[in-house]
Amino acid sequence: MNFNRFFTLVVVFLVVGPLEKYSLLGLSVEQDYTVFSGLRFAKEVHAYEDPDFPNSKNKYRRWRRNMSVAEHDDSNMDLINVEIKDVAGREHEYTFLEHGFEYVKLKPSIMPIFSRISEKGLEGTRVGPVVEEGTFAKGEEPLEDILAKALQGWDVFNLDGLVVLNLRCSGFVIRKGGPLGIPVNGTGFDMVAHRVHIDQDLEGDPLKSMGLTWLFHLPFIEMLNVWTPLKTPRMRPLAVMDVRTVNPLYTLRYRANSTRNAGGKIGSFQSDRLMTMYHKGQDWYWNSNMTFGDALVFYTGRNPHTSFTIPGEDIQYSLLQQLDTLKSAIDDILLLRHLCSESDDGKINLENLKTERISPHALEAVVRAIEVKDIVCSRIEQDELLSNNETMVDLDRAIDFLSRSSLEIRCVSIVFLPSHLILSVLFVFAASLILCKLCNFFCFPTSSSKKYKQA
């Protein structure tokens, strides 16, 4: 390497810093896509003392929504603009042990199951759409039953510095949403989350009614959330709060009914969950570089989280509307020509977008949608529509590209430090020796012990 090249690299590292992505002299460094986005928090005016938990370890208050309006209406939620820091390229700095969340890679052997779920959705009777008896052939299992077994054990994912043994994983729920969090058509899934929440109050129902709240007071027993994208998230990613910045004084209980997609064959059930009010000092994070095969692991009962809007989603939304309009007019060639002639693609300058702080995945969705729309309109203008079916497939693929799909899993796991395992083994060994000594002394007395007893 000559001196000029070396000097340039040093300047890039010291002046540009590690947060910008440049392709200069073969050097590529991740860009920081930290954003400010509006998150929906519980309102202080809706908080009241909780009479159902007078002796609760966590003195949470309860949240009462205004039932006369929609749940996410401004009268029920505070919309606060919050900084959400991007950890892309620095994922290893944020650990479950310290921050309460960690980005991990799922083991490759289970990824074919996730691929099938991405294509087919959930199909079993425990969660997802209710399935009639006899749907599956003898010996055939629903995908989530196969996944539940595959997720058990030691080697599903690694948390930095910790040993994780998954005892049981279930509670599978698919969530889907479009740009700006709009609903998408279909069944067998829930919409993306629109408010800051904690998935389970570990002292409330259904654990309370099942008599299982004691379980999570045992050492090393944790309930974990595993959130994994079923395709690369290009909009409405997940933000998670550093567990160290959660303040119980700003945490509220609320009761909800689980959706049919989470209730499965047993139907809906009461579920006590937690919401968070905004306060200064909260630290929020996301990973702009998550792809299929990545996962975010965090505490089910401690980490607030929500989906949020990232830059570029307004453009994605506009393109999605155009594609939906083309799809609805597929049988009317005159209307299709009119729609293509009125296209406002010219207003979307991709070169300008590339200089803005739009993450590569979000920009990819915009590029793909424009490409498909241009192809379809080119066919229409040249009277080469070929077949409606082929064009519909192209439009459906582009529309699917403009949506987010993820799978949420809950695991009851044993989580401990390796040193804890060593201490536990030593404790068991020492206890066994003591028991053996006592057993030999009282059950199989030696001559010396007999003399001791006679004395």
Side-chain angles (χ1 to χ4, degrees), residues 93-224:
E93 298 177 13
Y94 300 88
T95 64
F96 184 84
L97 188 61
E98 184 176 357
H99 302 87
F101 68 89
E102 190 167 331
Y103 291 94
V104 301
K105 291 285 186 183
L106 298 173
K107 65 178 182 179
S109 60
I110 63 174
M111 294 316 297
I113 307 174
F114 286 100
S115 296
R116 290 174 60 192
I117 290 176
S118 179
E119 295 171 4
K120 301 175 61 176
L122 297 171
E123 59 186 16
T125 57
R126 189 171 67 250
V127 289
V130 175
V131 206
E132 298 297 330
E133 296 292 337
T135 298
F136 299 99
K138 187 175 181 180
E140 188 180 358
E141 292 182 292
L143 282 176
E144 50 265 45
D145 285 342
I146 299 172
L147 180 59
K149 293 176 182 177
L151 290 172
Q152 288 179 335
W154 298 95
D155 193 30
V156 178
F157 51 80
N158 298 315
L159 295 179
D160 185 59
L162 294 170
V163 178
V164 181
L165 171 61
N166 291 333
L167 301 176
R168 179 179 176 81
C169 295
S170 59
F172 308 105
V173 176
I174 291 176
R175 290 189 182 273
K176 291 186 179 183
L180 307 180
I182 63 171
V184 298
N185 296 325
T187 59
F189 55 83
D190 289 346
M191 64 188 291
V192 296
H194 281 256
R195 63 183 175 192
V196 174
H197 66 286
I198 300 173
D199 280 341
Q200 182 63 54
D201 177 2
L202 297 181
E203 294 185 6
D205 283 331
L207 297 174
K208 184 180 179 183
S209 59
M210 296 166 67
L212 292 177
T213 54
W214 60 272
L215 183 64
F216 299 99
H217 292 280
L218 296 177
F220 314 131
I221 300 295
E222 299 289 352
M223 184 182 290
L224 305 179

Side-chain angles (χ1 to χ4, degrees), residues 1-10 25:
M1 179 183 295
N2 61 40
F3 177 78
N4 289 336
R5 182 180 174 87
F6 175 76
F7 179 77
T8 304
L9 288 172
V10 171
L25 303 177

Side-chain angles (χ1 to χ4, degrees), residues 349-366:
N349 189 316
L350 290 179
E351 292 305 317
N352 289 342
L353 286 180
K354 291 175 183 178
T355 63
E356 297 179 13
R357 295 185 62 79
I358 298 179
S359 69
H361 293 326
L363 185 60
E364 184 184 10
V366 173

Side-chain angles (χ1 to χ4, degrees), residues 302-371:
R302 295 176 58 190
N303 282 92
H305 56 282
T306 183
S307 73
F308 67 101
T309 297
I310 56 177
E313 288 193 31
D314 53 341
I315 301 170
Q316 294 173 353
Y317 177 73
S318 174
L319 287 167
L320 180 61
Q321 287 183 313
Q322 294 175 45
L323 293 172
D324 277 331
T325 304
L326 286 173
K327 183 178 175 181
S328 64
I330 197 66
D331 293 320
D332 190 336
I333 189 65
L334 293 178
L335 179 56
L336 286 173
R337 287 175 179 167
H338 174 70
L339 292 171
C340 286
S341 67
E342 285 192 340
S343 170
D344 62 352
D345 276 0
K347 299 177 183 178
I348 302 175
N349 189 316
L350 290 179
E351 292 305 317
N352 289 342
L353 286 180
K354 291 175 183 178
T355 63
E356 297 179 13
R357 295 185 62 79
I358 298 179
S359 69
H361 293 326
L363 185 60
E364 184 184 10
V366 173
V367 173
R368 177 70 65 89
I370 291 177
E371 286 177 351

Side-chain angles (χ1 to χ4, degrees), residues 374-434:
D374 286 345
I375 290 172
V376 172
C377 286
S378 177
R379 290 177 188 168
I380 294 168
E381 291 169 3
Q382 299 175 28
D383 292 326
E384 295 177 356
L385 196 54
L386 300 180
S387 72
N388 287 354
N389 289 339
E390 183 178 349
T391 302
M392 286 288 281
V393 168
D394 288 340
L395 289 171
D396 284 337
R397 285 176 180 170
I399 289 171
D400 183 64
F401 212 74
L402 289 169
S403 67
R404 193 209 85 182
S405 179
S406 60
L407 178 65
E408 295 180 11
I409 306 165
R410 293 186 190 177
C411 293
V412 177
S413 308
I414 299 176
V415 182
F416 56 90
L417 291 165
S419 58
H420 291 155
L421 179 61
I422 296 172
L423 291 174
S424 299
V425 170
L426 292 175
F427 175 80
V428 171
F429 180 72
S432 300
L433 287 178
I434 294 172

Side-chain angles (χ1 to χ4, degrees), residues 39-55:
L39 304 186
R40 294 186 178 276
F41 294 86
K43 282 183 177 288
E44 169 71 32
V45 295
H46 292 163
Y48 67 101
E49 297 303 319
D50 191 346
D52 296 333
F53 294 84
N55 300 314

